[in-house]
Amino acid sequence: MEVNPILVVGGGPAGLEAARGAAELGYRALLVEKAATLGGEPIHADYATITPDLEDAGTAMGRMIDAIAGDPLVEIRKETTVVAAAGEPPELTVTLEGPGGREEVTVGAVVVATGFQHFDPGRETQLYGYYEFDDVITLVDAERMLKAGHFIRPSTGEPPKRVCFIQCVGSRDRQIGNVWCSKVCCGIACKEAIEIRQHLPDCQVFIFYIDMRMYGFWEDQLYWRAQEQQKVNFIRGIVTEITRRGDTLVIKGEDTTMGRPVEVAMDVVVLSVGMEPSKGTREMAEIFGLPLESHGFLETVGGPLDTVTTPKPGFFAAGAATGPADLEDSVSMAGAAAMKAAGFLRRQALAAAKSA
Ligand SMILES: Cc1cc2nc3c(=O)[nH]c(=O)nc-3n(C[C@H](O)[C@H](O)[C@H](O)COP(=O)(O)OP(=O)(O)OC[C@H]3O[C@@H](n4cnc5c(N)ncnc54)[C@H](O)[C@@H]3O)c2cc1C
Ligand code: SF4
């Protein structure tokens, strides 16, 4: 009896690794990606480089795509998503909608790797003026400029003299309901600060933080490198308001180490926006009937020892669809999800053989 393929939804870092893992284990993978290109947010949001070595993001994702391209066990459908599902694994019928119209396919197990979306800073009462001031940008906007090789003040097109990052925008915020730490933004801010200093050695760079969360090796690979080698200034403080005076931005807040108010002028302000569950993640939860955990990401049931198994047999999840995750987390989970999905299919086949 032919074993049905493992459906992987989402062609970002997690989905690419899940499809590769399934094929490595000898199972067929059907990878569906709603965008026209694979690679997930690092490609769609034009990341310049990735942590910790500042490798070109396109090169890194290209390597992941090459690892499955041409593999006879991996079928890739771009500009395609799942619009309906019926039955249950290992005989789950999914309706795919792609450029050629709708098609029904039977799959044996599912890995949902539909990722995250960036917090929209306009939602936070315009406190930081993202939609008001051209020179207030996000980490993602900064990546785009770094990728293009010219980090400028958007309002003038000139190189900035003073840039600051504001951490925890849309994360660790009980008022807006995003109580989680997005895990990557401290590291990404340090990475971008290093790159800005490399591009523009005359530009002063500041990072306003509540506390810097640099777990594992990022502590010396990014934080100390930013502070000691690139002379980035870290200010422990809370920014309460951004206004404009003349053609500069004025940052008002409190330096919590010194216990005094601060008011500093900046040319560019970068908001370190956090991660939220993507629209695609919420849609797949609905279609597959997968519960969400209390923060709105996909629920997994194994606690710290199994981060990929959902409450529904045959359904697994990986990457930022399950919560804030960096690339390491995402691909590690994807490998585990591929292994669990293959295990599920193997157990189903053994049970079917026994009862035949
Ligand atoms: C500005 C910024 C910079 C970052 N830089 C780094 C870094 O340097 N190092 C690091 O470790 N981490 C970094 N991260 C985090 C990193 O982006 C994530 O860890 C990673 O992208 C998660 O991968 P993923 O595959 O789970 O999700 P995603 O990258 O979000 O990919 C999900 C994929 O699923 C697709 N999809 C969504 N819904 C559907 C659907 N319904 N049907 C089909 N396809 C769908 C999407 O189009 C997308 O291709 C950064 C994050 C930000 C915000
Ligand atoms: S990683 Fe840093 S900036 Fe991001 S939410 Fe956590 S503490 Fe805030």
Side-chain angles (χ1 to χ4, degrees):
M1 197 181 86
E2 200 186 2
V3 177
N4 291 324
I6 296 170
L7 172 70
V8 179
V9 190
L16 290 168
E17 180 63 9
R20 190 188 72 84
E24 290 271 322
L25 292 164
Y27 289 82
R28 288 187 296 142
L30 170 59
L31 175 65
V32 302
E33 164 56 55
K34 72 173 180 190
T37 46
L38 297 173
E41 281 302 294
I43 296 300
H44 304 149
D46 285 327
Y47 296 180
T49 59
I50 55 165
T51 56
D53 301 325
L54 277 52
E55 184 186 8
D56 178 80
T59 307
M61 289 305 119
R63 218 171 31 247
M64 295 196 78
I65 295 165
D66 289 348
I68 55 166
D71 189 320
L73 289 180
V74 182
E75 185 184 348
I76 301 170
R77 304 275 188 96
K78 294 184 213 168
E79 295 178 83
T80 299
T81 190
V82 179
V83 290
E88 54 190 52
E91 296 289 331
L92 178 78
T93 304
V94 291
T95 308
L96 303 181
E97 188 171 81
R102 288 192 172 198
E103 182 194 350
E104 282 192 354
V105 184
T106 304
V107 298
V110 179
V111 177
V112 183
T114 41
F116 72 103
Q117 66 195 32
H118 308 271
F119 175 76
D120 174 3
R123 236 175 70 198
E124 208 185 5
T125 64
Q126 286 295 304
L127 192 65
Y128 297 135
Y130 180 67
Y131 292 108
E132 207 177 332
F133 307 130
D134 290 345
D135 296 334
V136 177
I137 64 174
T138 66
L139 283 180
V140 188
D141 302 323
E143 282 292 329
R144 287 209 175 99
M145 285 206 274
L146 290 165
K147 188 175 177 80
H150 59 108
F151 192 87
I152 50 159
R153 267 183 89 172
S155 64
T156 62
E158 298 294 319
K161 289 271 188 301
R162 287 163 68 86
V163 173
C164 80
F165 289 79
I166 298 176
Q167 299 306 100
C168 302
V169 176
S171 309
R172 302 176 68 191
D173 188 331
R174 290 183 173 201
Q175 253 176 340
I176 58 165
N178 290 4
V179 297
W180 59 88
C181 165
S182 288
K183 211 171 175 182
V184 295
C185 6
C186 278
I188 308 311
C190 288
K191 179 193 80 85
E192 292 186 359
I194 292 168
E195 289 172 298
I196 293 168
R197 292 278 300 150
Q198 286 174 340
H199 278 278
L200 304 170
D202 294 335
C203 179
Q204 286 182 290
V205 179
F206 302 80
I207 298 183
F208 286 92
Y209 66 95
I210 303 174
D211 51 85
M212 289 302 285
R213 295 191 168 175
M214 311 292 302
Y215 57 96
F217 300 150
W218 282 13
E219 178 79 7
D220 69 320
Q221 290 168 331
L222 297 166
Y223 174 72
W224 285 114
R225 184 172 166 199
Q227 183 156 154
E228 292 180 345
Q229 291 178 17
Q230 297 298 338
K231 310 295 177 216
V232 172
N233 303 286
F234 288 83
I235 301 174
R236 184 174 189 151
I238 297 162
V239 174
T240 49
E241 196 186 2
I242 298 177
T243 54
R244 190 165 49 197
R245 191 178 298 149
D247 63 355
T248 48
L249 296 167
V250 178
I251 316 300
K252 288 183 189 159
E254 190 191 341
D255 180 328
T256 52
T257 305
M258 307 301 282
R260 63 182 183 205
V262 278
E263 192 176 307
V264 283
M266 291 289 157
D267 296 330
V268 173
V269 174
V270 186
L271 305 178
S272 288
V273 286
M275 291 174 147
E276 293 186 324
S278 72
K279 183 166 166 279
T281 294
R282 295 192 303 270
E283 283 169 359
M284 289 308 104
E286 180 85 31
I287 287 171
F288 293 130
L290 297 173
L292 301 175
E293 52 76 69
S294 63
H295 308 95
F297 293 88
L298 292 178
E299 186 186 355
T300 55
V301 289
L305 301 181
D306 174 358
T307 53
V308 300
T309 298
T310 77
K312 281 189 80 174
F315 288 90
F316 305 89
T322 66
D326 69 2
L327 292 168
E328 283 176 39
D329 298 333
S330 301
V331 298
S332 305
M333 290 173 84
M339 188 264 285
K340 301 259 183 206
F344 172 81
L345 290 178
R346 181 172 159 268
R347 280 194 308 280
Q348 296 293 323
L350 287 174
K354 213 170 167 184
S355 63

